[in-house]
Amino acid sequence: MSADFSNAKQFFTTLTKEGTLEFTIEPMSVAAPDEHEVVVQMEATPINPSDLGLLTAPAEMSTLRREDDGDALKLVADVSAQMQRVFGGRAGNKLPAGNEGAGTVVAAGSSDAAQALMGKTVSMAGGEMYATHRTMKAMEVMPLPDGAAAREGASLFVNPLTAIGMTNTMRMEGHSALVHTAAASNLGQMLAKLCLADDIPLVAIVRSAAQAKILTDIGLTHVVDSSAESFFNDLVDALVATGATIAFDAIGGGTLASTILVAMETAAGKRGEEFSVYGSTTHKQVYQYGRLDTGPTTLTGGYGLFWGVSGWLLTPHIQKIGMEKFMEMRMRVMKERNGIFASHYTKEISLADMIDIDTVKAYDAKATGTKFLVNPSL
Ligand SMILES: NC(=O)c1ccc[n+]([C@@H]2O[C@H](COP(=O)([O-])OP(=O)(O)OC[C@H]3O[C@@H](n4cnc5c(N)ncnc54)[C@H](OP(=O)(O)O)[C@@H]3O)[C@@H](O)[C@H]2O)c1
């Protein structure tokens, strides 16, 4: 029996030229797959902070409102003049969203590779996942083992590959231990388990005692709480113990990157590095890989001249390491999908829920342990 696509729908986000942000759910047409393609019925796709960059980041959230344009309901928010400038490049374009997800192959092209996937549950990345259906090249999806649920395959790209990418970068750039901030995040918990499995010393920075407990329960030793009075000294002690000289910072705004560099410099002195007027000669690096705090990054100095603060993104990292290493990473993630790289979701929502005001506010909070999973088949 051939698949029925008559009720296919897709989520869109549009920054209008008039200065509003709109979320809509609209009918979509699904073409028959070509020889090497499959059509996946989407069943599980997470809302990650990286998706929110396309969704809520431009919006003044207090102005969220529902509007009825006659055909369908839409969610609308005002966009400040500053955000209109920042996001001006997308003005007037109706954009699909959703970086990664999983579902069932319901139609397949004539090639053997495509036909072999018919009826399989597959995991994939590549955008446009907030939709009832997504057409993919057969070679771009990863089948899950028989019997595995779609939610097991929903988040096997963005966070797991980033966690591995951080440890790759650490090794490639000659460091032997890592610092991580906002470390009780979904990704942070994966990184904690990965570092424990691979014997990599990790200094995890969190902002509450409850978050610290999440990580010590996983088994981490060096967890420091930035809300504690002893934070700076605790951080230096952890850096002395681990020798970490590279940090991955998800927060971005504020002074934390600078504090980490000062603490690394202090730790270098305590570890007995030779004194120089230019500071410790070991290169100290902070990579900003997230902007949970969108304010300016403040660098105070006080850590010599051998340091760097720059951005880090998964996609260029994958391009840098090449296809063979990338495939190894994917295989490891698939094998450990219910262990090291398991994601936990607080709530499963439908496509329609994605434009419900209270639900949008809840998934925009990016709070510890509150990841939302969209099931477009609901
Ligand atoms: N560059 C890349 O290629 C790449 C790839 C994947 C992920 N990322 C980034 O990785 C980060 C984590 O993603 P995730 O899916 O694991 O997130 P998540 O599970 O939603 O967790 C977000 C965490 O950040 C904390 N947080 C939020 N705002 C904060 C702030 N202003 N200061 C300090 N902590 C804050 C939250 O703690 P509270 O509960 O205390 O708010 C929570 O623990 C995100 O920034 C994401 O953009 C980047």
Side-chain angles (χ1 to χ4, degrees):
M1 201 174 69
S2 63
D4 174 14
F5 301 129
S6 56
N7 283 323
K9 290 189 185 67
Q10 185 163 19
F11 170 92
F12 288 101
T13 165
T14 311
L15 182 67
T16 66
K17 292 191 170 144
E18 293 72 40
T20 58
L21 184 74
E22 295 184 355
F23 291 172
T24 48
I25 311 286
E26 302 187 19
M28 71 186 282
S29 64
V30 181
D34 82 12
E35 185 185 356
H36 300 289
E37 287 177 340
V38 292
V39 179
V40 180
Q41 180 177 306
M42 296 304 300
E43 287 150 3
T45 161
I47 302 180
N48 286 319
S50 49
D51 297 304
L52 293 171
L54 210 53
L55 270 60
T56 50
E60 287 183 52
M61 292 298 283
S62 59
T63 66
L64 273 184
R65 57 197 179 268
R66 294 282 287 246
E67 283 182 6
D68 190 344
D69 71 357
D71 291 334
L73 281 176
K74 62 183 174 187
L75 197 67
V76 180
D78 294 338
V79 178
S80 68
Q82 189 203 347
M83 283 300 179
Q84 287 180 47
R85 276 194 299 280
V86 172
F87 290 95
R90 56 174 279 198
N93 296 323
K94 189 188 286 187
L95 301 176
N99 284 322
E100 61 183 339
T104 306
V105 175
V106 292
S110 59
S111 70
D112 290 347
Q115 282 294 314
L117 290 167
M118 195 59 199
K120 299 261 184 213
T121 304
V122 295
S123 166
M124 63 228 199
E128 304 181 33
M129 300 289 159
Y130 300 148
T132 53
H133 298 84
R134 174 72 160 92
T135 300
M136 298 285 294
K137 296 260 179 257
M139 61 176 294
E140 288 171 349
V141 304
M142 283 182 81
L144 291 161
D146 286 346
R151 65 161 48 208
E152 282 179 42
S155 304
L156 298 187
F157 286 81
V158 178
N159 282 344
L161 297 179
T162 300
I164 302 179
M166 290 175 181
T167 61
N168 290 343
T169 303
M170 177 201 79
R171 291 192 189 92
M172 285 157 68
E173 298 186 3
H175 304 267
S176 57
L178 280 176
V179 179
H180 189 219
T181 72
S185 64
N186 181 267
L187 190 156
Q189 295 180 44
M190 289 179 190
L191 184 67
K193 292 178 201 156
L194 178 65
C195 287
L196 286 168
D198 290 0
D199 268 335
I200 297 170
L202 173 67
V203 178
I205 301 178
V206 294
R207 64 171 172 179
S208 72
Q211 290 174 349
K213 185 168 181 325
I214 292 173
L215 296 177
T216 49
D217 284 353
I218 287 173
L220 273 194
T221 314
H222 302 292
V223 184
V224 289
D225 177 358
S226 63
S227 70
E229 246 173 57
S230 55
F231 170 56
F232 184 76
N233 290 337
D234 295 344
L235 180 57
V236 171
D237 288 348
L239 294 170
V240 171
T242 57
T245 43
I246 182 169
F248 285 87
D249 174 30
I251 299 169
T255 55
L256 186 57
S258 201
T259 303
I260 291 169
L261 290 170
V262 174
M264 283 176 176
E265 185 70 4
T266 310
K270 289 197 172 201
R271 281 166 71 91
E273 224 179 269
E274 208 172 303
F275 174 80
S276 145
V277 288
Y278 302 114
S280 140
T281 52
T282 306
H283 182 79
K284 300 163 290 293
Q285 178 68 37
V286 176
Y287 282 118
Q288 287 189 357
Y289 78 99
R291 294 287 301 167
L292 290 166
D293 178 337
T294 52
T297 307
T298 306
L299 296 177
T300 58
Y303 21 82
L305 292 174
F306 295 85
W307 58 272
V309 175
S310 53
W312 189 97
L313 201 58
L314 176 61
T315 325
H317 175 71
I318 288 172
Q319 280 158 0
K320 194 186 282 183
I321 59 174
M323 189 48 83
E324 195 181 330
K325 180 89 185 158
F326 174 53
M327 292 312 290
E328 267 174 38
M329 289 163 70
R330 288 179 69 179
M331 305 274 279
R332 183 171 187 193
V333 172
M334 181 56 82
K335 193 160 158 234
E336 288 285 350
R337 69 187 180 282
N338 294 324
I340 295 173
F341 302 111
S343 284
H344 302 285
Y345 309 100
T346 33
K347 201 159 181 198
E348 186 176 79
I349 61 172
S350 66
L351 273 186
D353 292 332
M354 286 188 75
I355 62 167
D356 170 77
I357 292 179
D358 290 336
T359 308
V360 175
K361 286 184 178 162
Y363 66 65
D364 187 52
K366 301 177 264 251
T368 308
T370 59
K371 197 166 284 297
F372 280 65
L373 187 68
V374 184
N375 180 349
S377 292
L378 286 177

